[in-house]
Amino acid sequence: MGLLSCKYLRFFSTHLKSVTFRCVALLVIALVLRAVAAPLLTGFEFEYDKILFIHSRTLHLSSELGIRRAKFLEVPQIIWGLNNQKIAFARACLTARLLNRTLLMPSLSASLFYKEIDLLQPISFDKVFQFETFNSLCKGFVQLGRYSDVSNRTDVIELQKGSGRRWTIERDLEQLVQFSKDPYDQQEIIRVIGKNPFLWPDHWPVKDYAKVFECLVLVDEISKEADRVVSKIREAGKELRSKTASDNPISEPVPVPYVAVHMRIEKDWMIHCKKLEQRSKISEICSSRQEIMQRVGSIAGQQAPTAVYLAVADSLLEDNSILNGWREGLVPFEKNKLGVMEIYKRYPYLIQSAIDYEVCLRADVFVGNSFSTFSSLIVLERTQKMIKMGVTSFCGMDIRWPSYAYNILGEPNGPRRWMTNMSASSLKAISYGSNDVSC
Ligand SMILES: *[C@@H]1O[C@H](CO)[C@@H](O)[C@H](O)[C@H]1NC(C)=O
Ligand SMILES: *[C@@H]1O[C@H](CO)[C@@H](O)[C@H](O)[C@H]1NC(C)=O
Ligand SMILES: *[C@@H]1O[C@H](CO)[C@@H](O)[C@H](O)[C@H]1NC(C)=O
């Protein structure tokens, strides 16, 4: 639009010399263009949450200086759950930044079988996230490279990550600083060997991680699958409303809002969280199915009836108990009931998880567990998205994309409002082993 109006302005300005005339012409052009563009925009309104979301990603990090393109960092395969992998990837990027090197595009893992190394199913980063988009959004901050960019693959120095109790966070940082100097710095590739980056000591503030996460955009194929799931949920919500509102046909807000709940009640988690409660002497980690339903049901300001998407482990899809017992007006759906199982089934674990993540991220209301990395990263991205829109106070009632932690009691008898503290000095403070929800 900017280009277009410039072109027209130049055309007019050769004919109209007066400054006043130019201004009037500019105003008219602006109004005409707005009138032309407006119906186009409303036509796409059903996707406006996505547009806003994409818009919020176009951040610019131009204040930063560049990263060297001919020096590389290589890291071990990135493993475990989707969010462990995202954190590990961000940590590898930030390590590369510290060394002022381009990160060689690492392998992610498509499966969750971390105990058997041969079942790890490496999957290239660019099969999941857009490579070029990553580099353009993160330009000047961190940079990804391909192996074909390397000129001499034998020009490698290995960096063995230390381990054990005596390997402190300070020693780890010292080692990195040492590798950012000669003679190591001259080597074309620094190859980190040892543990997967998720286990590396954390030297970076939350806002640095948030910057890297913002540059991670799913490839079209996967994001289209997430679109399909989201529109199924919204359709279901619309249907619910049209049934009850037949005598009162006021037009519904577009798009029909939905709630997403990351429900962690599978057996492994319940055992793990009970142990965690004993060890850390914190009582608000585990929530039963009943507690989750009751607290989600107490969230004020919901226009009944509303579709609730339940992001749950596959093992919980076998019986229908998670669908029963919700308060009137909250209608739960999972993959089976929504009829989207065939979408998920086509993909390995990592992609299924990425789709669920996206569905929770775009929900109008998100409710998760503050001890879960999956939930924590969703809240981090939702907080970041609102900061981009100029929201400064997250804990009040009336914001566009509220998030809650169901494992912590809030007002009145509902889940606690949750936002990410972007000033936290390390990721640990906000993402795991923490019930600090800043509200
Ligand atoms: C990386 O190195 C380049 C070239 O030496 C320099 O201009 C740039 O400021 C450095 N970037 C960072 C983030 O240190
Ligand atoms: C590649 O790097 C190795 C190790 O630094 C060096 O011995 C070799 O001469 C280099 N090869 C080329 C073609 O520069
Ligand atoms: C956010 O974290 C900073 C740094 O740790 C801390 O000083 C501040 O009190 C925290 N804010 C909230 C609202 O928890």
Side-chain angles (χ1 to χ4, degrees):
M1 213 195 246
L3 265 178
L4 199 66
S5 46
C6 275
K7 215 167 116 194
Y8 278 99
L9 187 63
R10 224 178 294 133
F11 169 76
F12 278 109
S13 64
T14 54
H15 298 269
L16 307 167
K17 291 288 174 221
S18 134
V19 173
T20 331
F21 257 99
R22 282 194 207 175
C23 288
V24 170
L26 186 61
L27 190 70
V28 168
I29 290 163
L31 287 173
V32 167
L33 284 173
R34 221 183 81 179
V36 169
L40 277 173
L41 288 176
T42 44
F44 287 105
E45 211 164 46
F46 69 98
E47 278 210 304
Y48 92 119
D49 56 338
K50 206 182 145 203
I51 291 167
L52 276 178
F53 185 56
I54 290 166
H55 181 72
S56 78
R57 292 214 201 226
T58 53
L59 76 168
H60 287 286
L61 305 152
S62 49
S63 60
E64 309 276 349
L65 293 164
I67 298 289
R68 292 180 300 176
R69 300 292 184 101
K71 298 286 180 194
F72 301 94
L73 179 75
E74 188 183 322
V75 302
Q77 182 177 347
I78 283 170
I79 57 173
W80 297 342
L82 169 74
N83 295 289
N84 304 83
Q85 295 195 39
K86 280 172 92 163
I87 291 170
F89 171 78
R91 201 160 279 161
C93 284
L94 295 170
T95 302
R97 175 176 159 78
L98 200 155
L99 299 170
N100 198 348
R101 285 170 179 266
T102 293
L103 178 68
L104 283 170
M105 189 170 69
S107 271
L108 305 178
S109 304
S111 78
L112 192 55
F113 294 102
Y114 47 87
K115 282 174 190 136
E116 289 132 286
I117 225 78
D118 47 321
L119 292 177
L120 273 175
Q121 287 184 43
I123 179 171
S124 172
F125 172 89
D126 60 359
K127 290 274 183 302
V128 185
F129 299 106
Q130 297 180 22
F131 178 88
E132 301 296 342
T133 306
F134 181 88
N135 275 345
S136 81
L137 290 177
C138 260
K139 193 168 193 300
F141 186 62
V142 297
Q143 194 72 37
L144 275 182
R146 297 183 187 273
Y147 279 83
S148 56
D149 302 336
V150 176
S151 67
N152 181 353
R153 293 198 192 189
T154 58
D155 192 7
V156 178
I157 179 85
E158 291 190 341
L159 184 164
Q160 171 77 54
K161 273 274 171 191
S163 60
R165 246 187 316 140
R166 288 166 62 200
W167 189 260
T168 58
I169 187 160
E170 292 79 17
R171 276 185 75 175
D172 189 82
L173 190 60
E174 251 168 56
Q175 184 190 42
L176 291 178
V177 170
Q178 193 188 0
F179 272 78
S180 69
K181 294 180 183 148
D182 287 338
Y184 311 103
D185 193 48
Q186 297 193 351
Q187 231 70 57
E188 185 163 358
I189 300 177
I190 291 178
R191 175 182 296 147
V192 183
I193 50 178
K195 287 175 181 165
N196 119 64
F198 184 74
L199 298 173
W200 297 355
D202 183 7
H203 305 296
W204 297 276
V206 168
K207 64 175 178 33
D208 283 5
Y209 284 94
K211 274 186 196 175
V212 176
F213 295 144
E214 276 195 286
C215 306
L216 290 172
V217 179
L218 290 172
V219 295
D220 284 346
E221 185 194 351
I222 304 174
S223 103
K224 280 193 185 119
E225 301 292 25
D227 292 348
R228 284 174 64 194
V229 178
V230 169
S231 47
K232 283 265 191 183
I233 300 169
R234 294 205 193 277
E235 268 166 38
K238 198 170 179 179
E239 210 162 289
L240 292 169
R241 289 182 178 202
S242 68
K243 271 182 203 152
T244 55
S246 53
D247 51 330
N248 186 18
I250 27 165
S251 64
E252 284 296 336
V254 177
V256 180
Y258 69 98
V259 176
V261 183
H262 177 221
M263 224 171 158
R264 295 224 60 181
I265 50 167
E266 68 276 17
K267 224 180 252 160
D268 312 17
W269 166 261
M270 287 321 253
I271 293 169
H272 170 74
C273 77
K274 286 277 189 299
K275 275 190 198 147
L276 212 57
E277 284 188 340
Q278 281 167 6
R279 214 172 342 120
S280 58
K281 306 205 163 47
I282 295 174
S283 58
E284 295 188 302
I285 302 178
C286 309
S287 281
S288 63
R289 182 172 69 89
Q290 285 76 10
E291 185 172 82
I292 297 172
M293 288 190 302
Q294 182 265 317
R295 288 189 179 166
V296 173
S298 309
I299 296 175
Q302 285 198 43
Q303 270 189 317
T306 301
V308 181
Y309 178 71
L310 305 178
V312 293
D314 280 353
S315 61
L316 291 170
L317 297 176
E318 281 149 24
D319 68 85
N320 281 334
S321 67
I322 55 166
L323 295 176
N324 301 325
W326 292 84
R327 115 162 129 65
E328 207 189 321
L330 285 184
V331 184
F333 290 88
E334 32 70 313
K335 299 179 185 111
N336 278 327
K337 189 174 164 195
L338 214 52
V340 294
M341 206 56 183
E342 42 83 36
I343 297 181
Y344 284 86
K345 271 195 177 144
R346 270 186 272 134
Y347 296 99
Y349 157 80
L350 183 72
I351 313 281
Q352 293 187 14
S353 192
I355 297 172
D356 256 4
Y357 184 90
E358 203 66 19
V359 172
C360 292
L361 192 61
R362 293 197 213 152
D364 299 81
V365 177
F366 172 72
V367 197
N369 185 305
S370 68
F371 269 77
S372 146
T373 336
F374 186 91
S375 293
S376 298
L377 289 201
I378 288 168
V379 174
L380 185 151
E381 281 204 50
R382 289 168 70 93
T383 304
Q384 181 86 336
K385 178 163 90 163
M386 284 188 293
I387 289 173
K388 287 267 132 64
M389 291 177 63
V391 177
T392 50
S393 160
F394 297 88
C395 304
M397 281 327 286
D398 218 17
I399 59 167
R400 175 68 183 81
W401 284 287
S403 304
Y404 297 85
Y406 55 64
N407 57 311
I408 307 175
L409 184 63
E411 300 285 319
N413 289 324
R416 181 79 63 89
R417 207 41 175 274
W418 184 7
M419 65 167 280
T420 299
N421 185 349
M422 288 290 174
S423 322
S425 60
S426 83
L427 201 62
K428 189 169 192 302
I430 58 123
S431 71
Y432 31 93
S434 163
N435 60 4
D436 180 4
V437 291
S438 308
C439 281

